[in-house]
Amino acid sequence: MKIHSQFQPHNLFAAGFVTLLCVCCLFSPFPVSALDNGLALTPPMGWNSWNKFQCDVNEKIIREMADAMATNGMKDASYQYINIDDCWQGQRDAEGFIHPDPQKFPSGMKALADYVHSKGLKFGIYSDAGGKTCGGRPGSRGHEYQDALTYARWGVDYLKYDWCGCEDLNAKGAYTTMRNALRAAGRPIVFSICEWGQNQPWLWAADIGNLWRTTTDITPCFDCTLDHKTWQQWGVLQILDAQKPLRKYAGPGHWNDPDMLEVGNSMSVNEDRAHFSMWCMLAAPLICGNDLKHMSKETLDILVNKEVIAVDQDKLGVEGFVYSTNANAEIWFKPLSGGDWAMCALNRGMQPQNISFDWKHENVTDDFSKRDAQFDRTIYSLRNLWTKQDAGDTSQVLNAGIPAHDVLMLRLTKIIANEP
Ligand code: GLA
């Protein structure tokens, strides 16, 4: 934990959280220290413009998304951030201050942030460590402190910071500069590192960012890669597989980010459900990427399933792991606070698959969080998190059929513990 000597009055907020984090660290399974801004103690939840609108973003869309989130059940389900991605930027003025594109954001960013805040939500923005963003707009290189100050003045609560056009910049150095600039600006701002896993940020970013992208960009496809010659986009399974070695690097305040959600963006309902479930098993940031104003009931039902979200937001902050693989079925477990577990059986294949799981003969342990389910001597009740029904307990063998590209997701709660 880095504690800085220049505490100023506006940093008292941060100082309180440093103390809290220090106390938490004493009881945490996590060996690394987290960024000391006190934010994202559970994975951030919100919406971002990129996956659906790409560069066609404007203040009307942002207002509509805030309106939708505030009223459609998402805010009630803990979604908070409304984040503008690339292409909001206009020009820098003679003194180097950045201004929004006057055609797309004629009311200015302060007014937009005020609007989002008036809905009880938080406001996020995007920039890039290089001279130009991936969309060719002005990046922050050479203007980091000025930009951080500008964002703080506008009322920004979340910054996604990309990695296009960085030439020979050193990633740790560049992200440290912006972390320090945000700190100096004096406003608590979630710092989202987006360098696509190229420099293994999980090894160095725990006290620099609150989250870091681990891979290239997602695309709304369950099992595919899109080749653009100079770069690729990955489907849900391709990104999921890349997370498997990384769980030990994440925890409260510093998360692996397998990219924003594609729920509602053209995959089947089964695939959307599996995608959302697996992101929750990963304790991933839940940043929706669909059109919140025009979505089906099935999409909304997935996004606001509070019992599934509770798995993601569990305060222990431990990512799930693959326990077993049989043909196309992967069985994942995630330790939860209070002795509970989440179990998710994922059918990766194109055909329905049956699974049979005889709990008392399964040895589910997690060296990282030092948890042992002890199914041989402990009985847990089972709750099906998608049908929202109780589903018996672990004294019986579980037999289930899982449709193609879908999941069975259960929460396990201890009901009888027999000491040996
Ligand atoms: C990169 C990021 C995306 C998005 C675009 C915007 O590709 O990884 O998430 O922010 O840039 O141009």
Side-chain angles (χ1 to χ4, degrees):
M1 175 75 55
K2 278 195 189 129
I3 300 183
H4 292 257
S5 53
Q6 343 149 236
F7 277 130
Q8 295 166 5
H10 60 243
N11 281 337
L12 282 177
F13 164 86
F17 271 111
V18 170
T19 313
L20 182 68
L21 274 177
C22 289
V23 171
C24 292
C25 285
L26 292 176
F27 303 102
S28 152
F30 307 107
V32 290
S33 56
L35 178 58
D36 56 5
N37 64 5
L39 300 173
L41 297 182
T42 59
M45 293 177 63
W47 174 88
N48 171 293
S49 52
W50 185 254
N51 284 357
K52 178 69 188 178
F53 298 101
Q54 308 229 313
C55 266
D56 291 328
V57 66
N58 58 50
E59 65 182 34
K60 179 168 177 285
I61 291 176
I62 299 303
R63 286 206 170 98
E64 287 175 353
M65 296 305 116
D67 293 344
M69 185 182 282
T71 54
N72 68 5
M74 291 180 71
K75 181 179 161 194
D76 183 48
S78 301
Y79 291 93
Q80 249 192 325
Y81 294 97
I82 294 285
N83 295 348
I84 312 177
D85 206 277
D86 204 352
C87 303
W88 62 265
Q89 304 90 338
Q91 301 298 318
R92 292 191 182 278
D93 62 23
E95 291 174 332
F97 286 96
I98 187 75
H99 295 270
D101 182 321
Q103 261 80 50
K104 294 172 166 204
F105 296 90
S107 314
M109 285 302 175
K110 173 82 171 71
L112 193 52
D114 288 349
Y115 185 83
V116 171
H117 290 148
S118 77
K119 301 283 162 185
L121 299 170
K122 294 191 162 152
F123 182 67
I125 212 162
Y126 161 103
S127 191
D128 188 290
K132 286 206 167 139
T133 70
C134 300
R137 303 293 173 123
S140 290
R141 187 171 183 180
H143 294 273
E144 293 88 349
Y145 278 72
Q146 199 173 21
D147 284 356
L149 188 62
T150 302
Y151 304 152
R153 286 177 177 161
W154 287 343
V156 166
D157 306 297
Y158 188 115
L159 174 66
K160 172 175 167 182
Y161 203 52
D162 215 338
W163 190 240
C164 274
C166 284
E167 299 161 6
D168 54 354
L169 275 184
N170 170 281
K172 184 176 179 188
Y175 283 98
T176 300
T177 300
M178 189 44 111
R179 186 239 5 224
N180 293 348
L182 292 172
R183 185 183 275 150
R187 183 178 170 88
I189 297 180
V190 171
F191 190 29
S192 161
I193 293 176
C194 178
E195 57 74 80
W196 324 305
Q198 285 189 347
N199 300 276
Q200 301 182 295
W202 45 88
L203 297 179
W204 48 261
D207 65 354
I208 298 175
N210 295 108
L211 59 157
W212 51 79
R213 280 273 299 278
T214 55
T215 67
T216 187
D217 290 8
I218 194 168
T219 189
C221 159
F222 198 71
D223 184 10
C224 74
T225 55
L226 285 188
D227 200 347
H228 304 284
K229 301 251 172 356
T230 53
W231 67 292
Q232 287 190 338
Q233 282 179 277
W234 286 1
V236 167
L237 289 184
Q238 285 65 32
I239 292 188
L240 178 67
D241 288 342
Q243 310 312 307
K244 289 172 182 170
L246 303 181
R247 67 187 291 258
K248 67 175 184 241
Y249 300 107
H254 57 284
W255 306 101
N256 288 313
D257 174 9
D259 207 357
M260 304 171 293
L261 294 164
E262 292 282 17
V263 175
N265 282 346
S266 80
M267 288 189 288
S268 70
V269 174
N270 307 55
E271 290 171 337
D272 277 352
R273 182 168 41 239
H275 169 33
F276 192 76
S277 303
M278 295 319 301
W279 263 229
C280 290
M281 291 299 285
L282 292 170
L286 298 179
I287 307 294
C288 303
N290 59 317
D291 182 346
L292 303 184
K293 194 177 172 192
H294 306 101
M295 67 173 137
S296 67
K297 182 171 182 321
E298 287 89 348
T299 297
L300 183 61
D301 284 348
I302 290 172
L303 295 180
V304 299
N305 184 324
K306 290 184 184 174
E307 295 186 60
V308 175
I309 290 171
V311 171
D312 180 81
Q313 294 289 301
D314 186 84
K315 65 179 190 298
L316 205 57
V318 175
E319 285 191 29
F321 57 91
V322 181
Y323 168 70
S324 63
T325 306
N326 182 8
N328 277 319
E330 257 174 20
I331 302 210
W332 288 67
F333 278 88
K334 179 182 194 287
L336 303 176
S337 53
D340 283 12
W341 290 82
M343 186 264 222
C344 193
L346 166 69
N347 181 357
R348 301 170 61 107
M350 301 286 278
Q351 302 300 324
Q353 176 143 351
N354 293 322
I355 59 156
S356 181
F357 200 77
D358 187 358
W359 303 92
K360 50 186 178 303
H361 295 118
E362 301 289 349
N363 182 20
V364 175
T365 58
D366 178 21
D367 289 345
F368 173 59
S369 65
K370 307 199 172 33
R371 288 276 300 276
D372 184 345
Q374 301 190 324
F375 288 130
D376 55 339
R377 68 192 95 135
T378 306
I379 298 177
Y380 295 78
S381 65
L382 300 176
R383 171 90 174 159
N384 184 320
L385 301 187
W386 285 111
T387 63
K388 301 181 185 168
Q389 285 173 342
D390 295 338
D393 61 45
T394 55
S395 66
Q396 309 286 318
V397 177
L398 172 75
N399 287 302
I402 308 173
H405 289 183
D406 207 335
V407 290
L408 170 73
M409 191 169 182
L410 301 171
R411 186 177 184 115
L412 284 60
T413 302
K414 211 178 272 192
I415 46 178
I416 304 173
N418 293 326
E419 294 309 323

